[in-house]
Amino acid sequence: MLIIGERINGMFKDIANAIRTGDPTAVQMWAKKQEKNGAGWLDINTGPASDDPVKHMKWLVEVTQEVSDVPLALDSTNYDAIEAGLEICKIPPLINSVPAEWPKMERVFEMAQKYNAGVIGLAMNEKGIPKDAESRVALAMELCACADGYGISMEDLYIDPLLLPVNVGQDHGPEVLETLRQIKTLSDPAPKTTIGLSNISQGTKKRELINRICAVMLIAAGLDTAVGDACDDELMEAIATARLIMNLDIYCDSFVQVYKNRW
Amino acid sequence: MAFTPLKEKYRNKVAQITLGATADQGGTRTSTVTIGGEEALPFLHFEGTIANKPVVALEVWDIAPTEWNSCFDQYYGDVYNDTAAWAKKCVEEYGAEVICLRFKGADPDLGDKSPEDCVATLKAVLGAVGVPLIVLGCGKYEKDNALFPAIAEAGEGENLLLGVGEQENYKTLTAAALGYKHAIIAQSPIDINIAKQLNILIGEMNFDTSRIVMDPTIASLGYGIEYGYSIMQRARFGALTGDKAMANPMIGNVGFEAWRAKEANASQEDFPGWGDQETRGIMWEATTATALISAGLGIAVLRHPKTVALVKKSIDALMVPSAY
């Protein structure tokens, strides 16, 4: 599993401040730090404070690309902002994200095809997040069918079964694990999977512990990527270890370093 | 119904390494060889570029090898005591594309030749042949560590392939190769985990890891060839799917291993059911080589001249593009 580094997000004060003042220092510092720690993508989110997501998405993409070659994940519900980012990405990014709702899927998959981008598809629709695995898988299937209709390869579709905080949506955990397993049976090649990892620990104590254990369990169920904290060393160590146990990487004594250096 | 060939898409490719250097590249070789660079599993030309064909080397020692089967006498008997002439014969008469010079005589128990003696032999071989050279020590750490710097310096500009580095003994070799710009062999004891770790350790000395040739230590037909075979397959699959620490061409001491087998050496009188000894030995070596070449071997170090011809023929056949 590779981490989509979550830190360049206007929800954090230093990034919101960077957006406000136009000073890229904090953005570029987090880009380099996440890259150095093994992030596979860098999530780019203008956050709730932005009054002009199109302009700010472009700016964040520009200043991030100045210091890092890691592909980006353009994170917004504003598709004009995503398109503005897609136009200037040097490496095909991920679009984060689209729910299984028709007008939105059409807009996003068309963009993805045009810019050769990957897409994170959420297993939810207008009715919200389903509770059981079967309903999540049904929505995943809709995402697959729609993506296929636009000629998107299943390997460029990242389905997110949606993790809820363990303190409020505890019964969702086993359903998410089951959904991940079933998604891999939907097509051949199978769609990829992703998740908003840090959601599991929203409002809990010992957030890092919960995130790490959750990541390991999800990897065992077949998770390919997760939006998470690439700067949590112990999380990255846990992922590197789980990858070994799943026989995804060839063991060597420096396995943590190899994972972080993206050797 | 239309047929669509299934083509695997890989993210990474094997490092490409050139051995030897011609006059305009600062060396004295008249030919160089390039190995590696594969973008697909061995010879699956339809899935990716197989940039370079595997090459065959012949093994040449700095002393007469007393334990080699007597069937070799008719080919090398007259040159056993003249390393340069031996090498020349391998290239000019037997078609070796690379010479693998093994300083067996440096072994403290087999002559204990000095680094100066070895340098003189190296220079004689460099003068006698124009093909690239693989230069191996005697296998005893202390002695090899005295040899490597002297050989690396004497071969400066020739872009040698020096070996071997092992997990317990790689620093002197790496430093010598780094200083005089040679490629190196990283040898692991039929253990893919050690192979990967060794590449990382060598890389940590600021050695360009794309200049490493991995020796996974193969075994011969009938004596565990399948262990080396499956390790090589796994290493190659890892390389193609993005494991950069495994993305190196591989070398195997095929002749050395095959000619240790009883089946290669035993006389027909002793084992009438096994047929003619020399033919059997050649086939033992050629079968070992071709099996491992199909698992990704880039350099097959051979012994018997007739094996060279057989193995080259099968490589040429495998290099015919199979595009869809």
Side-chain angles (χ1 to χ4, degrees):
Chain A
M1 184 184 76
L2 291 180
I3 283 286
I4 302 168
E6 69 185 3
R7 193 54 180 71
I8 303 176
N9 188 320
M11 187 182 77
F12 293 101
K13 274 186 193 158
D14 55 351
I15 303 297
N17 198 40
I19 291 171
R20 212 166 20 247
T21 61
D23 176 2
T25 312
V27 177
Q28 295 180 334
M29 186 270 281
W30 283 111
K32 282 193 273 196
K33 202 170 162 161
Q34 293 181 105
E35 175 177 4
K36 190 165 168 280
N37 233 30
W41 289 267
L42 301 176
D43 198 68
I44 304 290
N45 187 322
T46 57
S50 168
D51 54 4
D52 188 347
V54 172
K55 178 180 145 200
H56 293 142
M57 177 64 84
K58 273 176 81 172
W59 181 75
L60 283 173
V61 168
E62 274 163 17
V63 299
T64 305
Q65 286 189 146
E66 276 172 23
V67 297
S68 174
D69 293 328
V70 174
L72 307 180
L74 307 177
D75 185 356
S76 182
T77 50
N78 180 326
Y79 296 138
D80 294 332
I82 286 192
E83 185 140 29
L86 284 169
E87 281 169 3
I88 56 170
C89 276
K90 291 179 194 159
I91 303 167
L94 285 180
I95 296 172
N96 186 11
S97 56
V98 64
E101 296 171 26
W102 277 98
K104 291 180 181 175
M105 284 195 288
E106 283 164 342
R107 168 92 199 261
V108 167
F109 287 130
E110 203 173 317
M111 285 197 290
Q113 191 204 31
K114 184 172 169 193
Y115 294 98
N116 195 24
V119 179
I120 294 177
L122 308 176
M124 65 177 287
N125 58 14
E126 300 88 340
K127 294 175 199 149
I129 300 174
K131 189 169 165 187
D132 59 287
E134 285 68 26
S135 311
R136 281 177 159 94
V137 173
L139 293 170
M141 193 67 228
E142 277 193 53
L143 287 159
C144 289
C146 187
D148 190 51
Y150 282 88
I152 309 285
S153 152
M154 285 302 108
E155 287 158 309
D156 288 325
L157 178 62
Y158 294 74
I159 293 175
D160 180 347
L162 295 160
L163 208 49
L164 269 67
V166 70
N167 56 348
V168 297
Q170 218 170 340
D171 47 354
H172 282 265
E175 302 296 329
V176 165
L177 287 163
E178 181 54 26
T179 306
L180 285 171
R181 287 187 200 99
Q182 289 192 27
I183 286 170
K184 290 297 177 187
T185 66
L186 288 181
S187 67
D188 185 12
K192 295 268 179 60
T193 52
T194 191
I195 215 138
L197 182 64
S198 307
N199 275 351
I200 189 72
S201 62
Q202 287 285 354
T204 66
K205 294 287 180 195
K206 295 192 184 291
R207 288 200 65 179
E208 286 83 2
L209 176 65
I210 292 173
N211 291 347
R212 290 196 287 271
I213 302 295
C214 185
V216 169
M217 294 175 72
L218 295 168
I219 291 168
L223 183 67
D224 297 304
T225 61
V227 182
D229 181 2
C231 297
D232 177 354
D233 286 326
E234 288 179 51
L235 172 65
M236 299 307 265
E237 287 170 18
I239 294 169
T241 311
R243 286 182 61 97
L244 289 182
I245 293 166
M246 288 300 284
N247 195 20
L248 296 167
D249 290 327
I250 296 168
Y251 173 83
C252 70
D253 293 346
S254 304
F255 68 92
V256 171
Q257 183 201 336
V258 167
Y259 175 70
K260 284 189 177 182
N261 290 353
R262 305 288 316 285
W263 257 68
Chain B
M1 221 175 115
F3 167 69
T4 311
L6 189 58
K7 295 183 186 183
E8 201 68 48
K9 271 185 282 180
Y10 294 111
R11 294 195 284 134
N12 196 31
K13 60 180 180 179
V14 179
Q16 182 167 285
I17 304 179
T18 296
L19 305 176
T22 55
D24 56 323
Q25 296 160 336
T28 62
R29 303 299 81 208
T30 54
S31 63
T32 62
V33 300
T34 301
I35 54 166
E38 295 93 337
E39 294 176 348
L41 291 175
F43 309 109
L44 297 193
H45 303 273
F46 69 95
E47 282 190 341
T49 305
I50 307 296
N52 303 290
K53 69 181 181 71
V55 296
V56 293
L58 274 173
E59 197 177 337
V60 168
W61 288 18
D62 63 333
I63 51 169
T66 50
E67 72 267 36
W68 285 23
N69 188 286
S70 60
C71 76
F72 285 104
D73 291 352
Q74 59 177 302
Y75 306 98
Y76 304 126
D78 56 332
V79 289
Y80 268 156
N81 290 306
D82 183 343
T83 311
W86 183 354
K88 195 174 165 71
K89 202 167 192 181
C90 286
V91 174
E92 291 177 4
E93 289 181 38
Y94 304 142
E97 295 162 296
V98 179
I99 288 296
C100 178
L101 173 59
R102 189 187 285 274
F103 283 115
K104 198 77 177 174
D107 189 319
D109 300 325
L110 292 173
D112 201 18
K113 286 195 180 181
S114 68
E116 293 74 30
D117 285 344
C118 295
V119 164
T121 304
L122 171 68
K123 287 188 170 166
V125 173
L126 282 167
V129 299
V131 299
L133 257 53
I134 300 164
V135 184
L136 306 177
C138 65
K140 304 235 164 106
Y141 293 165
E142 205 175 321
K143 190 59 187 284
D144 283 353
N145 288 339
L147 278 185
F148 291 143
I151 290 168
E153 186 184 2
E156 186 173 13
E158 299 289 2
N159 192 14
L160 306 170
L161 176 57
L162 286 179
V164 298
E166 298 175 67
Q167 192 178 27
E168 306 307 324
N169 190 55
Y170 65 92
K171 289 183 180 169
T172 306
L173 171 69
T174 304
L178 195 59
Y180 297 101
K181 298 187 174 61
H182 301 296
I184 58 176
I185 299 175
Q187 188 184 70
S188 47
I190 316 194
D191 185 323
I192 196 165
N193 306 130
I194 292 175
K196 183 169 175 178
Q197 185 67 19
L198 181 55
N199 287 353
I200 290 161
L201 292 171
I202 291 169
E204 283 176 352
M205 288 180 70
N206 285 326
F207 190 83
D208 174 3
T209 51
S210 71
R211 304 266 298 148
I212 296 173
V213 177
M214 291 194 289
D215 178 354
T217 311
I218 52 97
S220 91
L221 180 67
Y223 292 85
I225 191 175
E226 60 275 27
Y227 295 98
Y229 185 97
S230 58
I231 280 175
M232 289 169 64
Q233 281 187 311
R234 183 144 187 254
R236 181 52 47 87
F237 192 66
L240 296 172
T241 53
D243 190 338
K244 290 175 195 144
M246 297 263 86
N248 297 89
M250 293 179 276
I251 185 171
N253 281 309
V254 174
F256 176 83
E257 295 294 340
W259 288 96
R260 280 189 349 175
K262 182 182 178 185
E263 290 82 349
N265 292 296
S267 71
Q268 190 169 0
E269 293 80 68
D270 291 343
F271 292 89
W274 289 0
D276 176 61
Q277 176 270 326
E278 187 177 359
T279 309
R280 188 188 335 122
I282 293 165
M283 291 313 295
W284 213 263
E285 189 181 19
T287 308
T288 302
T290 46
L292 295 173
I293 282 168
S294 65
L297 198 68
I299 305 176
V301 183
L302 305 175
R303 270 191 191 168
H304 201 293
K306 291 190 174 167
T307 312
V308 174
L310 281 173
V311 172
K312 274 185 163 181
K313 197 176 160 188
S314 63
I315 290 170
D316 287 344
L318 287 165
M319 284 304 289
V320 174
S322 55
Y324 286 104

